[in-house]
Amino acid sequence: MQLVTEDNITDLAVQRWATAEDPRLAELMTALVRHLHDFAREVRLTEAEWMAAIQWLNRTGQISNEKREEFILTSDVLGLSMLVVQMNHALDPRATPATVLGPFHIEGSPQLGYGEDMSQGLPGTPLYLHGVVTDLDGTPVPGAVLDIWQADNEGLYESQHADVDEARLRAKYTSREDGTYCLRTVAPLGYTIPMDGPVGELISRTEISHFRPAHVHFLLNVPGYEPLITHLFQEGADYLDSDVVFGVKAELVVRYDQREPGPTPDGGSSDVPWFEARYDFVLQPQG
Ligand code: BEZ
Ligand code: FE
């Protein structure tokens, strides 16, 4: 007969979970049990607190659907998502660093040409973001598809608008023979993460800022190179020092230069003031 005590329950549970057939699953589960038990012991978890946590997890599952990933948001605000990204993308220091994907990427964005507008006349200051896609030695990478998405001037992504069913502020651009790319959009604004669910409920009980600094998301999945998921942030933007999902890295902060009406980098022209930002993406070869 196995007599359970507060002192031996951790070893007993670890022994059980160590029987998982897949050795990696056994490693993950036994470590999880040890850390969970240590946590409960350290804080002397009460039954009421345990129940509150279970109910919070229930609500987190219940509010999640194909457009809303409250568990991923939980991982993001705990800093776990960025930790996992950093551990799994220890790239060459010359390569563009990776960040979190976030919950708002949508597959199948329209393909646009060099300098074409992905903002469909939505309000905001025009922003031309351009540069070169290269490998670690600065050799241009032609044909690289840049899958790009951002929030609108209300701080909302396409999937947060129930009434929008065409592509909104997202597009794919392809680098040219010399590796150059150019996108035209409107300057993004900072925005709040969704605060109407269990994550917001917890955050509102702290002094944590629930904002993200202005940014544009990029996904580059180029054959022969490590896939790159990242963002570019606007230099001087609010919340750069307090990004609620810990996504900001110095290398990803770019300057927006204010330009007068006139010629734009795609060879066209703007009749209103616009911003110009330059960024060269550096890809890490695979393997
Ligand atoms: C985003 O930048 O789209 C995002 C990332 C993590 C959590 C919420 C939003
Ligand atoms: Fe975002």
Side-chain angles (χ1 to χ4, degrees):
M1 189 168 49
Q2 208 172 47
L3 297 174
V4 176
T5 67
E6 188 185 323
D7 291 333
N8 72 6
I9 188 159
T10 303
D11 289 341
L12 292 174
V14 165
Q15 278 162 27
R16 278 189 199 172
W17 285 99
T19 63
E21 280 167 23
D22 174 349
R24 177 63 174 162
L25 181 62
E27 182 183 358
L28 294 172
M29 292 309 296
T30 54
L32 179 65
V33 166
R34 262 189 270 107
H35 286 282
L36 268 180
H37 287 213
D38 283 350
F39 164 74
R41 285 197 179 86
E42 180 185 321
V43 300
R44 301 307 304 169
L45 194 67
T46 68
E47 287 178 302
E49 289 161 347
W50 174 85
M51 183 50 89
I54 298 288
Q55 285 169 347
W56 187 90
L57 289 167
N58 276 342
R59 289 197 298 284
T60 301
Q62 281 156 0
I63 206 171
S64 297
N65 56 36
E66 67 285 350
K67 288 195 168 176
R68 181 162 185 169
E69 286 276 12
E70 196 79 359
F71 279 115
I72 294 189
L73 190 60
T74 306
S75 162
D76 294 339
V77 301
L78 292 176
L80 179 63
S81 308
M82 266 309 275
L83 174 61
V84 172
V85 166
Q86 304 198 84
M87 289 189 304
N88 287 279
H89 299 270
L91 301 178
D92 184 290
R94 288 170 293 175
T96 298
T99 59
V100 289
L101 176 67
F104 299 121
H105 175 254
I106 297 179
E107 297 290 342
S109 286
Q111 302 267 0
L112 296 186
Y114 190 84
E116 271 191 295
D117 187 2
M118 68 175 219
S119 72
Q120 308 137 317
L122 286 166
T125 307
L127 166 66
Y128 285 85
L129 219 167
H130 64 114
V132 189
V133 182
T134 73
D135 71 9
L136 292 178
D137 307 323
T139 308
V141 177
V145 176
L146 297 92
D147 187 350
I148 300 164
W149 68 107
Q150 72 172 80
D152 63 18
N153 65 319
E154 294 172 53
L156 296 175
Y157 284 85
E158 181 186 316
S159 64
Q160 295 173 291
H161 285 280
D163 53 336
V164 171
D165 48 15
E166 76 279 15
R168 184 186 178 89
L169 284 167
R170 63 184 171 94
K172 287 180 179 173
Y173 293 83
T174 306
S175 63
R176 302 192 294 190
E177 270 314 298
D178 59 357
T180 55
Y181 73 93
C182 177
L183 67 104
R184 190 238 190 249
T185 181
V186 284
L189 304 174
Y191 63 82
T192 171
I193 56 164
M195 288 293 286
D196 58 345
V199 170
E201 195 188 289
L202 261 190
I203 290 208
S204 353
R205 296 172 64 177
T206 72
E207 303 213 330
I208 296 172
S209 154
H210 49 93
F211 289 90
R212 299 218 61 206
H215 61 271
V216 180
H217 293 263
F218 292 82
L219 190 160
L220 284 81
N221 207 344
V222 183
Y225 296 92
E226 292 294 333
L228 174 66
I229 294 171
T230 197
H231 319 27
L232 294 181
F233 297 91
Q234 180 182 3
E235 190 178 281
D238 290 337
Y239 319 115
L240 279 176
D241 292 333
S242 61
D243 181 11
V244 61
V245 305
F246 306 92
V248 181
K249 287 175 172 278
E251 303 92 315
L252 300 175
V253 177
V254 297
R255 200 178 66 236
Y256 286 17
D257 291 314
Q258 174 89 57
R259 302 283 184 228
E260 293 308 315
T264 51
D266 58 334
S269 155
S270 173
D271 44 18
V272 294
W274 53 284
F275 285 122
E276 176 172 14
R278 264 205 70 108
Y279 189 81
D280 296 339
F281 287 94
V282 181
L283 300 180
Q284 164 124 341
Q286 223 150 31

